[in-house]
Amino acid sequence: MKKILENWLDKISVTGKNIIELKNSDSYKMISEMLNSCDTPFIGITRNKALSIIEDIDILFINYSNLTDLVHSIEALSENQHIFNSNMEKIKALIEGDSLTITSKAVPVEERGLFENTCNEIKITPEKMFEHLEFSFKNICNNIKIIVDAVRKAEILSNKTNERYKSLENRANILNYPISKFDFDGLILELKTNPLDIQAVTDKINLLFSKFELELSDASDEYNYLDLLFNSVDSKIKELNNLTSKSRQITGENLGQLALSKTLIKPLDNSRMEFINAWVYDLKKYFKLGKYKPVKIGLTKLNEECILLLGSEKRIFDDNIRVLKG
């Protein structure tokens, strides 16, 4: 029995150090701080898991304290033996009997039988208590690792989400497109506060990115279409300017002749060209602001107007050339 007692005293010493080291670990402190955080506390299944860890450690310490008290009692009895006072029977009963009660979590009333207490009382031997403490300690460490790993994965996903969002945001800025308000900040906060639910949050993030990318794809198509239409309109305006300039030149040189002045047709006047140039300038300004829909409507009308004017001015130019060649 002396060897048993010495073994137990060594185990108690090591167990106590490990429990204290666990409570002082960075992982445990992080979990405790996140539970009590005012800004971003754990929520949902992560909070429940974290609260369970805190409670399990408290229960572990109670069971450890009860075991320590018993072992020290056995040690005191063994040291207080003499020829007229043998405590061997008492010591043997404490060592081999169910001399300890396991402290466990309270059983919720909805899961409790009518004649059952708040806590299930289980009597065990000291040796079984050591086994129970070891099992509880490993279970707590495993649960802590689960949360720590989840927090690490959530942080990695948060960084990737931010990078991906910034990349899409840059594309939107290049397109001069005002993107919709996508609440990625809310999802990143959800990752931080409930990392154990990472799969559900990941699904939400991917769904949001799909909507974002679809919107950007539509915007890119619209941007490219309008850009091509602007190039087409600019080309028509340039051609129109050149044509009216030539028409003014030939009509201006010959309008002094009375006979010709009655048959020559005046080209498009400067005020009309100034209006067209101002029109396209305003459309380009709104295009840079991302107002694609009104720009598309206005640019389509301007393009049609330029086509009509070009046709008209070409006919005027050709008719005036025929009159001059008369």
Side-chain angles (χ1 to χ4, degrees):
M1 288 192 181
K2 185 179 179 181
K3 287 185 178 180
I4 292 175
L5 184 59
E6 288 175 353
N7 183 39
W8 284 1
L9 287 169
D10 288 341
K11 281 185 176 180
I12 283 172
S13 176
V14 174
T15 301
K17 289 177 183 177
N18 284 332
I19 293 174
I20 291 171
E21 190 174 338
L22 181 62
K23 291 199 73 170
N24 290 330
S25 67
D26 292 338
S27 298
Y28 178 81
K29 287 179 180 177
M30 179 273 291
I31 291 172
S32 182
E33 286 171 3
M34 285 297 290
L35 273 173
N36 299 306
S37 171
C38 295
D39 299 324
T40 55
F42 278 146
I43 60 172
I45 58 175
T46 307
R47 181 173 185 82
N48 293 337
K49 189 85 163 176
L51 287 171
S52 179
I53 289 171
I54 301 297
E55 186 179 4
D56 286 344
I57 287 184
D58 289 341
I59 291 173
L60 175 69
F61 191 77
I62 291 170
N63 285 325
Y64 163 76
S65 298
N66 291 339
L67 178 59
T68 300
D69 291 343
L70 179 68
V71 172
H72 285 158
S73 296
I74 294 172
E75 182 184 26
L77 286 172
S78 66
E79 290 175 350
N80 194 32
Q81 289 195 102
H82 48 80
I83 193 168
F84 301 109
N85 183 26
S86 175
N87 294 319
M88 289 304 296
E89 291 299 323
K90 289 182 181 179
I91 293 172
K92 185 177 180 181
L94 291 173
I95 290 175
E96 298 178 356
D98 295 335
S99 49
L100 288 167
T101 302
I102 293 179
T103 298
S104 58
K105 292 180 180 179
V107 180
V109 66
E110 61 271 15
E111 298 175 16
R112 201 185 307 157
L114 180 61
F115 305 110
E116 291 179 351
N117 292 318
T118 305
C119 295
N120 292 326
E121 292 188 358
I122 303 174
K123 296 282 188 178
I124 59 172
T125 64
E127 191 63 47
K128 288 293 183 182
M129 180 62 89
F130 276 116
E131 293 175 7
H132 176 74
L133 291 179
E134 184 176 18
F135 174 81
S136 298
F137 185 80
K138 287 182 178 179
N139 186 57
I140 291 168
C141 290
N142 183 59
N143 285 333
I144 288 175
K145 186 177 184 300
I146 288 172
I147 289 184
V148 170
D149 288 347
V151 168
R152 190 177 294 115
K153 289 178 182 176
E155 186 176 354
I156 292 171
L157 180 57
S158 295
N159 292 335
K160 287 183 177 178
T161 299
N162 275 322
E163 289 173 6
R164 188 176 175 187
Y165 178 75
K166 286 178 181 178
S167 174
L168 293 175
E169 192 176 39
N170 289 336
R171 280 177 56 192
N173 291 336
I174 292 171
L175 294 173
N176 304 316
Y177 187 76
I179 57 175
S180 301
K181 180 61 179 175
F182 294 104
D183 188 20
F184 284 101
D185 290 339
L187 290 176
I188 288 173
L189 178 62
E190 196 173 336
L191 276 176
K192 184 176 182 179
T193 56
N194 195 11
L196 288 180
D197 201 24
I198 189 170
Q199 187 56 56
V201 183
T202 300
D203 292 341
K204 292 179 187 177
I205 288 173
N206 288 335
L207 178 62
L208 216 55
F209 271 127
S210 295
K211 291 180 179 179
F212 194 171
E213 288 171 340
L214 179 61
E215 191 170 316
L216 270 183
S217 177
D218 291 342
S220 181
D221 291 343
E222 195 77 346
Y223 179 92
N224 291 333
Y225 170 78
L226 291 175
D227 189 52
L228 287 172
L229 193 54
F230 267 117
N231 289 334
S232 177
V233 168
D234 284 340
S235 177
K236 288 182 179 69
I237 291 175
K238 184 178 180 180
E239 187 179 354
L240 195 57
N241 277 319
N242 290 335
L243 190 58
T244 54
S245 178
K246 288 180 181 178
S247 289
R248 289 191 199 101
Q249 186 177 1
I250 62 171
T251 54
E253 290 173 353
N254 296 282
L255 281 177
Q257 303 177 41
L258 183 61
L260 288 176
S261 65
K262 293 179 180 178
T263 54
L264 289 176
I265 305 170
K266 286 185 178 182
L268 200 66
D269 58 45
N270 283 329
S271 61
R272 188 67 184 277
M273 286 306 304
E274 287 173 359
F275 172 78
I276 290 172
N277 287 322
W279 189 356
V280 75
Y281 174 82
D282 286 341
L283 288 173
K284 287 180 179 179
K285 182 172 66 176
Y286 286 116
F287 182 51
K288 289 180 179 180
L289 295 175
K291 300 183 182 297
Y292 288 9
K293 288 183 179 179
V295 168
K296 186 176 182 179
I297 294 170
L299 193 58
T300 301
K301 288 181 179 179
L302 178 57
N303 186 55
E304 292 170 355
E305 180 77 8
C306 288
I307 291 172
L308 291 173
L309 288 174
L310 268 174
S312 173
E313 287 301 301
K314 281 179 181 178
R315 286 191 295 273
I316 289 172
F317 182 78
D318 292 341
D319 287 347
N320 284 338
I321 289 295
R322 278 195 293 272
V323 169
L324 291 172
K325 284 182 178 181

